[in-house]
Amino acid sequence: MSTHTSKVDNSVSYLEYQGKHKGLKAWIFSTDHKRIGLLYLVTMLFFFSIGVTFGFLMRLELLTPGKTIIDPQTYNSFFTLHGIIMIFLFIIPGLPAVFGNFFLPIMIGAKDVSFPRINLLSWWLFLLGGILAIVSVIMPGGAVDTGWTFYVPYSVRTGTNVWPALLAAFILGFSSILTGLNFVTTVHRLRAPGMSWFRLPLFIWSLYSTAWIQVLATPIIGITLLMVFFERVFGFGVFDPALGGDPVLYQHLFWIYSHPAVYIMILPAMGVISEIIPVFSRRTIFGYKFIAFSSIAIAFFGSLVWAHHMFTAGMSSPAMFIFSLLTFIVAIPSAIKVFNWVSTLYKGSIQTDPPLLYALAFIFLFAIGGFTGLIQGALSVNMHIHDTSFIVAHFHYVMFGGTGFGIFAALHYWFPKMFGRKYNLKTAKVGFWTLFVGFNVLYFPMFIMGWLGMPRRYYDYLPEFHIYHSISTYGSWILITGLIIMFTNLYIGYKRGAVTTEENPWGGETLEWQTMTPPPIENFDVIPEVTGDPYGYKQNDENETVKVKEAL
Amino acid sequence: MFSASNYVDKVDFAFIFITAISFALLILITILMIYFVFKYNRKKGVKPVNIHGNTTLEIIWTAIPVLLVIPMFYYGWVGFVEGNNPPKDSMTVKATAQMWKWTFEYPNGVKTDTMYVPQNRPVKVDLISIDVTHAFFVPAFRIKRDVVPNRNNMVWFTSENTGSFDIACAEYCGLNHSYMYSKVVVLKESEYADWLKIQTDKMNAAAITQ
Ligand SMILES: [Cu+2]
């Protein structure tokens, strides 16, 4: 096995390496973090395509009032599955499990993660959970129709396949915990000589903060969903009011995990943006420590605001006061990040390659998502817009415009390193702009109709909302065209793109750019000694006579 | 100008206040990004400069957002607390939600499936669910409250306008969630009294024939 360093031929890339298994087995039983990263990538993209299909069909249904293509029961299952798939199988694992697995060890100068076999196990659990979620659709009983939030008492009463979905989420939770555990341990134990905490790339800081949330918060959702499972099977009566339980207790437990989960989803994307902006500006990052500590602050404060999902459910006034206030406070570290990113462009040497375009789009879309989050944090306004399409727009700006674009940025950034091939830059830009336009046409009208009183999770709507729904549906067509252009271009790049062994195509300074392309099985011939900060750009220092005043 | 309810002005003000500040900041960030991308474009061949950070700037752009979010929080709070304290002279209507319809019961026992209320009189709505969680949402009044089984939530409002306004269910409740609409009809005080009398007579007549 790869732990016996002497037996490994480190001169070939991880793609060509031949271990004791051959063919597909050499992948699905590989404990190499890079191969596991690619396993996650392929499975995640498969689930993503299913999630997109459900979203596309929902939008198509909403093109006209009344029935367009599907009946209400099918629609209710579609939005449930769209949510479960996108959250548990795309957004949560997207960056940590794919790019974290692939690059975390390389970027800290390690040969692998601390527990390679547990890492493989976490992928198997991910696959199992994902398959269970998909299979529940075709099992007798009907696809789950509770919404991804599984709110009690509806989730206890509906006759649909709730239990496979609950079990799927439970298993996926374990997968996520194991990944988090691996990352925390790896960052603590396996950093290369000289890689002190403040020399860690910011992507690693974000993964480290995320990993702690994964380890600490995920067990809560696990046990909560298990209790709903028992409630259905044995009539536990913890949550079901008919048995004397409390549905609001369920909501608290659910959001104690699921709000921090929002930060599991967004923090790694912020990390990716912090990598890309200095590299494409060819200068050091502005405010390294502020960006690093703001990740920790987000992880901490983000754990204390869960009840802002429940302002209309009924809570004491002091609770409302504190949760609303903290919701505003948690916006501050995100704002700090945005200001530091924009400042990193200042006096750079900027090249607008596709990764940077996605990163800048991230800032713009995430800012809209963040600002509309403030609007929802205001209690009186929340009473009006809670559970309307305003919320749907808001979290798509954060989760898709933020994390989704962060994943696409990461794909375009690390693609040459991962596959040793190039994709077409021009087509990638066309894909980007199509996606960006489609995204806004799709989701922006939802803000307007939400403010006007369009509730979410509605199969049908009043005539006054028709115009917004139809624009939104047209937007979904543009967006899907963009996705097709982007993925086709990357796929063609992977199959037929120009082969490159260039170590450092973008001019990055972090360790993954200092090793072979694609990386060898043990990442480095010799574990590098780290001597400076991850975005040093020493060549700039000769003309760094510019001082603070000029910067202002 | 009258508002559809006592909340409209406060909610709309808080919304516009936060939106205006957000919009200004969004424009600032976006223009700076676009400006820098063109000004410092690599094609111009200018040598980049390392600037590692600036503590003064960090303090400024931490402090300013803190100062901005405090009034945002405050305006949200004041518009909300009012909803906790229905005036003593409120009229009470019991709203019962079930999959997928609303029933409204008035103090004298009259029941309807559309809600009728008098203008300019505080109305307290007791929210009862007999099955799953629903939410009572009147967009024109800017009010929404979950209708949770076993938990007697309430919401109150005073409507200054006569007219008919939509009531929607805003918490997903299954198959016909999107059809769980009703209306609240606001009548002049005298019209309301007439309406209530007719309904009461109807109720009594029905009781006699049984
Ligand atoms: Cu309902």
Side-chain angles (χ1 to χ4, degrees), chain B residues 39-186:
Chain B
K39 174 98 195 278
Y40 302 112
N41 207 287
R42 198 167 298 169
K43 285 184 194 127
K44 294 191 173 167
V46 183
K47 276 200 87 177
V49 178
N50 275 348
I51 301 166
H52 289 272
N54 181 326
T55 311
T56 317
L57 268 179
E58 298 285 351
I59 292 170
I60 290 171
W61 65 44
T62 307
I64 289 178
V66 170
L67 293 178
L68 287 175
V69 298
I70 288 171
M72 292 180 184
F73 163 76
Y74 173 77
Y75 288 126
W77 171 252
V78 288
F80 162 77
V81 277
E82 185 179 343
N84 284 345
N85 308 304
K88 291 242 158 50
D89 61 337
S90 301
M91 164 188 144
T92 301
V93 177
K94 187 169 120 183
T96 304
Q98 68 193 90
M99 295 151 98
W100 297 276
K101 66 174 192 151
W102 299 95
T103 313
F104 302 97
E105 189 181 333
Y106 301 82
N108 67 355
V110 165
K111 284 185 183 175
T112 57
D113 56 10
T114 301
M115 190 177 184
Y116 286 83
V117 297
Q119 187 187 5
N120 289 328
R121 168 111 173 258
V123 178
K124 175 172 172 263
V125 190
D126 284 335
L127 301 167
I128 314 289
S129 166
I130 58 170
D131 43 46
V132 300
T133 305
H134 305 268
F136 180 84
F137 178 28
V138 185
F141 293 179
R142 311 285 188 266
I143 54 170
K144 179 183 298 103
R145 208 58 49 112
D146 291 3
V147 189
V148 186
N150 278 3
R151 179 180 278 252
N152 301 326
N153 281 347
M154 72 86 197
V155 64
W156 76 271
F157 61 86
T158 306
S159 180
E160 295 163 1
N161 281 356
T162 57
S164 165
F165 308 96
D166 290 316
I167 299 172
C169 176
E171 180 64 62
Y172 173 69
C173 60
L175 185 68
N176 289 324
H177 172 53
S178 69
Y179 295 106
M180 198 169 150
Y181 267 106
S182 182
K183 281 194 186 296
V184 49
V185 180
V186 184

